[in-house]
Amino acid sequence: MSSQADLHDPNSSAYKKARRLYHKATKNRNPDLELDWSPFRSAEKKYKARFPPPDLSNVLDLAILDPARDDEVRQGIWRGSSAVQHRELSAARKSTKFYTIPQIPGLVILPSFVSKEQQRELIRWSLCDQARENETNLDIHYSLPPQGLWNAWLESQRDASKDITVQPKSIQGSPTTQEPPGPRQLVNNTPATPDNFSAISVTPKPPPAPSATIKAAQLSELLFKLRWANIGWFYHWGAKQYDFTKGQGAIDQRLRNLCKDAVAAVDWKQIYSEADGDWTDWTTWNESYEPDAGIVNFYQTKDTLMAHVDRSEVCATSPLVSISLGNAAVFLIGGLTRDSKPVPILLRSGDVVIMSGPECRRAYHGVPRILDDTLPSHLGKWDKDWEPYEAYLRTTRININVRQVFPKGFQPDLVNVQ
């Protein structure tokens, strides 16, 4: 029995030890601390908690409804519920089902939409190609191997002498920055629109300086610090806006096709109707949807993504397609403020979520928990070449989220962007 499973057993020594440590750590906690938390913050704290393990009985787990996924659900120690309010609908162009949640208009879930073969292909692409050809969080601080972090690490697995030490850029004389003390400050960026695009696009977005405190690290250590890799238009994390001076990176054709297939699989007439007023963008998505930007997120099991809103795209209503790979996660999505109680959803490898429309695209959402020991068997022992991927994925969730920055027909003036 794994240590994580022990924590779910109140009679185990691991559970009793964790309980003692929990009581010791919280005995002096202010009992009124939670009174100031918003509903979203309360939900984040609940699912983020390491002890006691969170109860998932009110978390929507659509894999339970699919007999083909029985083994996947049973092999893990985490299980949600199918009793959470949802609607089951028939897909337009694929022999599958999709689901909506009445509380979150515009949210669509396509469970197990990505085939097992496609999942393995996307994982290889994310690590071998995308994180090599595009900027990552580590490129800011380290001089990474030219063949890419993952490919260099693979070489070190075959020859231990190649587990090189990667040097920080700070020792090469690059200007550095010192992280200010205290919690990280959130950037409340202005939502992008066709009207303010010109002003936003010329706002200076200086490249972030490497940290002065980061130390040299072995490949085998650095790999598990990889957090994101850019897709398409470059996203400037400091400004929370796109930096168009870098030009548009390529969108892998396989990823583009998968995202377009997911959007085309949904019968949008079952989601929206003419009764939704003057907004009718959804009627043209089969022709106008064109993914042109995104991020590959690499989560380790203790990582979280706090509540946030995506509002950097000029096209603020078109589908944002999110693909889950590897370990499962609890995904929270609420309303236009953190004061709306979020809906918790358990997302497993191969699931696709689409956030669409004016309400859903501006809804607060986040990932408070990566669920341990939920790697499905088809991403486990496969063949000799897959073994390094399995080893990495044991503690990893990969999320590929893709969006459309510009609405079809909008002609951005990028000539004057310096």
Side-chain angles (χ1 to χ4, degrees):
M1 181 179 290
S2 70
S3 59
Q4 183 60 42
D6 288 342
L7 288 177
H8 288 252
D9 178 7
N11 296 316
S12 71
S13 58
Y15 182 95
K16 293 174 182 177
K17 179 180 179 180
R19 182 174 57 191
R20 289 195 301 271
L21 293 174
Y22 171 78
H23 288 317
K24 182 178 179 180
T26 59
K27 65 180 180 180
N28 296 321
R29 181 177 295 174
N30 183 350
D32 297 329
L33 181 65
E34 301 178 17
L35 297 179
D36 293 331
W37 290 349
S38 67
F40 207 112
R41 183 61 171 159
S42 295
E44 287 177 323
K45 286 288 189 179
K46 172 183 177 179
Y47 296 110
K48 185 179 178 181
R50 293 290 152 178
F51 186 89
D55 177 9
L56 303 189
S57 60
N58 68 337
V59 177
L60 180 61
D61 186 359
L62 293 171
I64 294 174
L65 302 176
D66 185 356
R69 303 181 83 177
D70 283 349
D71 289 342
E72 181 182 350
V73 174
R74 280 198 301 265
Q75 75 181 29
I77 55 177
W78 301 97
R79 179 188 177 97
S81 169
S82 60
V84 180
Q85 187 179 16
H86 62 276
R87 291 176 62 212
E88 178 183 311
L89 302 168
S90 298
R93 296 189 184 177
K94 190 173 181 180
S95 57
T96 188
K97 299 173 182 176
F98 68 94
Y99 298 82
T100 63
I101 298 174
Q103 184 180 332
I104 313 291
L107 182 74
V108 177
I109 309 168
L110 296 98
S112 203
F113 185 82
V114 186
S115 71
K116 296 175 181 178
E117 293 75 15
Q118 283 177 310
Q119 290 175 47
R120 289 189 287 266
E121 186 177 2
L122 285 172
I123 289 167
R124 283 194 171 101
W125 166 81
S126 298
L127 292 164
C128 295
D129 301 327
Q130 190 65 18
R132 171 177 57 85
E133 300 168 356
N134 296 272
E135 188 160 336
T136 73
N137 63 300
L138 296 176
D139 285 283
I140 298 169
H141 305 290
Y142 290 95
S143 297
L144 297 179
Q147 69 269 45
L149 181 61
W150 175 263
N151 298 322
W153 180 76
L154 284 181
E155 292 177 10
S156 74
Q157 296 302 291
R158 294 187 286 265
D159 181 352
S161 67
K162 293 185 177 180
D163 189 7
I164 61 173
T165 300
V166 181
Q167 299 297 331
K169 290 183 176 178
S170 58
I171 69 170
Q172 301 171 355
S174 300
T176 60
T177 185
Q178 192 86 28
E179 282 287 334
R184 184 174 298 174
Q185 299 299 308
L186 297 177
V187 177
N188 192 19
N189 61 315
T190 301
T193 68
D195 294 332
N196 68 13
F197 166 75
S198 294
I200 289 176
S201 63
V202 298
T203 301
K205 300 175 181 69
S211 171
T213 59
I214 281 183
K215 307 295 184 184
Q218 300 295 115
L219 287 170
S220 51
E221 176 188 357
L222 209 53
L223 177 63
F224 293 92
K225 295 182 179 180
L226 179 64
R227 291 296 176 268
W228 56 261
N230 194 75
I231 301 173
W233 290 112
F234 180 77
Y235 189 73
H236 191 285
W237 291 87
K240 293 291 188 288
Q241 299 289 356
Y242 290 96
D243 183 356
F244 297 106
T245 65
K246 289 181 175 288
Q248 183 184 9
I251 303 290
D252 184 84
Q253 192 64 36
R254 293 163 297 180
L255 178 62
R256 176 183 178 273
N257 291 343
L258 178 59
C259 291
K260 290 180 75 71
D261 285 348
V263 171
V266 178
D267 182 0
W268 294 104
K269 290 181 182 179
Q270 299 181 67
I271 311 297
Y272 301 107
S273 69
E274 300 299 338
D276 287 315
D278 295 334
W279 180 73
T280 57
D281 293 5
W282 60 272
T283 60
T284 66
W285 280 343
N286 283 350
E287 297 78 33
S288 65
Y289 170 68
E290 186 58 53
D292 56 9
I295 296 287
V296 181
N297 290 310
F298 302 89
Y299 296 88
Q300 295 303 304
T301 48
K302 291 187 178 181
D303 291 337
T304 61
L305 180 65
M306 304 306 289
H308 67 286
V309 176
D310 297 308
R311 49 189 174 194
S312 303
E313 292 75 38
V314 176
C315 191
T317 59
S318 69
L320 183 156
V321 178
S322 177
I323 303 165
S324 292
L325 302 166
N327 280 285
V330 175
F331 172 69
L332 297 177
I333 182 165
L336 301 180
T337 72
R338 292 182 177 88
D339 291 326
S340 296
K341 184 178 180 180
V343 174
I345 305 168
L346 200 161
L347 297 178
R348 299 179 182 273
S349 193
D351 293 346
V352 168
V353 168
I354 301 178
M355 296 172 62
S356 71
E359 291 185 54
C360 190
R361 283 299 310 273
R362 290 292 187 254
Y364 275 88
H365 57 284
V367 180
R369 186 63 172 259
I370 310 301
L371 299 172
D372 316 63
D373 301 328
T374 51
L375 188 70
S377 59
H378 62 269
L379 297 180
K381 297 187 184 304
W382 184 250
D383 57 29
K384 188 69 175 176
D385 289 340
W386 185 254
E387 287 180 0
Y389 295 90
E390 181 205 2
Y392 174 72
L393 290 170
R394 284 295 169 194
T395 60
T396 306
R397 174 187 185 245
I398 298 175
N399 169 248
I400 305 172
N401 65 84
V402 186
R403 62 281 307 274
Q404 181 174 357
V405 175
F406 299 117
K408 189 171 184 178
F410 178 75
Q411 297 296 325
D413 178 15
L414 299 179
V415 175
N416 297 318
V417 177
Q418 300 296 323

